[in-house]
Amino acid sequence: MLCLSAEGLLPKIDYAIFADTGWEPGAVYSHLDRLENDIAGPADIPTVRVSTGNIRDDALNPNHRFASMPLHILNQDGRPGMARRQCTSEYKIKPIKKKVRDLIGYPFPKRIPSGVYVEQWVGISTDEFHRAKDSDVAYMRNRHPLIVDMNWSRADCLRYLKARGLGQTPKSSCLGCPYHGNAQWRHIRDTSPEEWQDVVAFDTAIRTGSARANANGTPLLGQAFLHRARVPLDEAPIDRVTAHELAQRQLELVDEEDLEQGDLDGCSPWSCRSGSPVQADYDQAA
């Protein structure tokens, strides 16, 4: 959407906001630098990076409140479970809403008058129209240009990026996101040994829950894992190609696109790959 706006194929946007969880792959930060320098800058589109901290460090800090990640849980009775997902709200939606309020001149807790709002573009393509939702606050109105203006599928987006030398655009999501599929875990392991050791270490450290809960004497009743197999990450069956991944490869071959590692979805604030809705009004957040 930033490229389309910079080229004039979509209206010029006022700002591009990136919510940084502090634990993105190095490739994402490098790509963001390139977007700022080569695309946004020449088009005179300001880019803003917002953050509420480093999700990895916060989870392992006994003095910091832990915004729950959707960790895969193995309960004491052997049944599988999943922790609540608060990370998208805490590390992406809240800082974006805070910055939007600042940009329109009504920082929290200043009341925003009725009728004052921003139009927020959300990059959902026609393949995932079911994820296109309205905002949960009156001062932000969601628009989905890839659907409404361009009628573009994911394949259309990939072709456009590839034609402009951006075919290797990485997906934005935390290194240790529990929603990673086997392909993404393999990609980290095989292309970035340092980042792989980082996620393996985190997976071990989070086994009994957050550091703060353990420091308060309330460890997790069960065990937590990053991989859905609920075994240590360095022992997980990540070399097994799932039926979903195989089917996607076949679809991409039909579209004559390069095969990509990982799940289709990145971690967009308003379309997290979990598919479950996130309601998190900054005005009401603690």
Side-chain angles (χ1 to χ4, degrees):
M1 293 187 301
L2 175 61
C3 293
L4 290 168
S5 176
E7 286 193 8
L9 298 176
L10 287 175
K12 184 179 178 181
I13 54 176
D14 298 302
Y15 294 93
I17 302 179
F18 176 78
D20 184 6
T21 67
W23 201 24
E24 296 273 348
V28 169
Y29 294 116
S30 297
H31 181 70
L32 182 59
D33 291 339
R34 182 184 178 189
L35 290 179
E36 290 178 335
N37 296 328
D38 298 347
I39 296 174
D44 196 28
I45 297 174
T47 56
V48 181
R49 305 191 192 195
V50 297
S51 177
T52 55
N54 183 300
I55 188 172
R56 185 195 192 283
D57 294 346
D58 293 347
L60 302 180
N61 183 351
N63 298 314
H64 195 282
R65 185 180 72 84
F66 178 51
S68 179
M69 299 170 64
L71 298 165
H72 300 282
I73 307 299
L74 185 64
N75 291 299
Q76 290 179 314
D77 60 4
R79 291 187 301 173
M82 201 163 196
R84 289 188 301 163
R85 176 175 61 96
Q86 298 173 320
C87 48
T88 301
S89 169
E90 184 75 15
Y91 290 91
K92 293 200 171 188
I93 293 178
K94 275 182 61 176
I96 288 175
K97 287 182 174 179
K98 180 179 184 299
K99 187 61 181 180
V100 166
R101 291 185 63 115
D102 292 343
L103 290 173
I104 61 177
Y106 296 94
F108 181 80
K110 194 172 182 180
R111 183 181 178 277
I112 301 176
S114 176
V116 175
Y117 68 92
V118 300
E119 181 179 274
Q120 175 178 250
W121 290 5
V122 183
I124 297 174
S125 61
T126 55
D127 314 72
E128 297 186 313
F129 69 91
H130 58 281
R131 289 191 174 187
K133 299 178 176 64
D134 294 330
S135 174
D136 60 348
V137 289
Y139 62 86
M140 297 171 72
R141 297 185 184 180
N142 288 349
R143 183 176 177 83
H144 305 87
L146 297 180
I147 298 175
V148 176
D149 300 278
M150 307 302 295
N151 192 31
W152 274 10
S153 67
R154 177 175 179 271
D156 293 322
C157 295
L158 290 174
R159 278 191 287 268
Y160 172 80
L161 291 172
K162 187 175 181 179
R164 282 148 183 79
L166 298 170
Q168 298 303 313
T169 296
K171 296 177 179 64
S172 173
S173 64
C174 288
L175 272 171
C177 179
Y179 287 123
H180 283 344
N182 284 344
Q184 287 171 296
W185 291 125
R186 288 197 305 272
H187 182 74
I188 297 172
R189 181 195 64 187
D190 297 342
T191 64
S192 182
E194 289 186 3
E195 291 181 337
W196 175 249
Q197 291 303 316
D198 182 30
V199 292
V200 168
F202 179 82
D203 175 70
T204 300
I206 205 70
R207 190 74 70 239
T208 56
S210 72
R212 182 171 183 178
N214 280 273
N216 291 339
T218 55
L220 183 69
L221 298 178
Q223 293 182 303
F225 302 89
L226 289 181
H227 194 273
R228 64 191 65 191
R230 294 172 176 83
V231 297
L233 185 57
D234 55 358
E235 301 174 14
I238 66 173
D239 288 305
R240 182 175 66 86
V241 178
T242 64
H244 173 78
E245 183 186 350
L246 183 60
Q248 186 55 44
R249 288 184 182 182
Q250 293 170 341
L251 286 174
E252 289 182 335
L253 285 172
V254 171
D255 288 333
E256 297 181 353
E257 298 294 339
D258 293 335
L259 295 179
E260 293 191 0
Q261 299 290 333
D263 289 343
L264 295 184
D265 313 315
C267 191
S268 166
W270 279 267
S271 58
C272 180
R273 70 189 63 190
S274 69
S276 56
V278 176
Q279 295 293 328
D281 188 348
Y282 174 76
D283 294 351
Q284 300 174 354

